[in-house]
Amino acid sequence: MDTRDEVKIMLTSKRMTMTELALKMSELSGKNYSQSLISHKLKSDSLRYSEMKLICKILGYRIYIDFDEIRLGK
């Protein structure tokens, strides 16, 4: 599943629109986010990690990173 699908699922589960998300992101970050900008970033896979953390904070989710020890040679 890609980031775009994950964000859509999170938005749906919280009954929030992309426009509402953009407004909250603008309020919390002090940067200007619009629905079209977020959609473009998701489509082009150019969403920053800090933006994803902000989205998760707004929607009440956490990001977990789990490293596979075998892949890392341990």
Side-chain angles (χ1 to χ4, degrees):
M1 182 179 312
D2 63 11
T3 306
R4 181 180 177 195
D5 292 334
E6 290 172 353
V7 171
K8 284 183 175 184
I9 289 169
M10 290 189 295
L11 283 169
T12 300
S13 73
K14 299 298 180 174
R15 293 184 176 99
M16 184 181 280
T17 66
M18 192 76 76
T19 302
E20 292 168 326
L21 176 63
L23 180 62
K24 286 279 193 187
M25 288 177 72
S26 296
E27 290 172 2
L28 291 175
S29 70
K31 297 178 182 177
N32 188 23
Y33 286 97
S34 65
Q35 177 273 330
S36 60
L37 176 63
I38 297 170
S39 291
H40 174 74
K41 285 177 171 271
L42 290 169
K43 285 178 189 175
S44 64
D45 202 24
S46 64
L47 190 73
R48 292 180 176 198
Y49 180 67
S50 60
E51 292 169 326
M52 188 61 182
K53 287 193 321 185
L54 180 58
I55 290 169
C56 288
K57 179 181 178 179
I58 291 166
L59 297 175
Y61 288 89
R62 293 184 187 168
I63 297 173
Y64 292 98
I65 299 173
D66 184 19
F67 292 101
D68 184 342
E69 289 186 29
I70 296 170
R71 208 178 61 230
L72 296 174
K74 293 184 180 180

